[in-house]
Amino acid sequence: MISAGSVGQGICSQVIEAGSGSVSVQVTYSADKIQSDDATCAKAMEIAQVVEPELPK
């Protein structure tokens, strides 16, 4: 998900269900030239996929 007001700002979050709650993985990319939201969200998804197996079911 890209939060309202974050479009084009290099911010993306992926939310994972964990047990009876949820975990959010947020990636913020800062540089002279802001990376596209698609690339930022792809990196957030990649990190979330590494974290997910370690979370309670």
Side-chain angles (χ1 to χ4, degrees):
M1 81 180 163
I2 302 173
S3 305
S6 296
V7 175
Q9 301 300 312
I11 301 171
C12 187
S13 298
Q14 298 292 337
V15 179
I16 307 165
E17 289 184 27
S20 61
S22 64
V23 173
S24 175
V25 174
Q26 180 172 317
V27 171
T28 304
Y29 182 85
S30 299
D32 292 341
K33 183 177 179 184
I34 298 297
Q35 189 175 6
S36 74
D37 291 324
D38 290 341
T40 305
C41 286
K43 184 53 78 175
M45 176 61 81
E46 182 181 325
I47 294 167
Q49 289 171 335
V50 170
V51 171
E52 184 177 27
E54 304 301 320
L55 299 174
K57 301 289 180 199

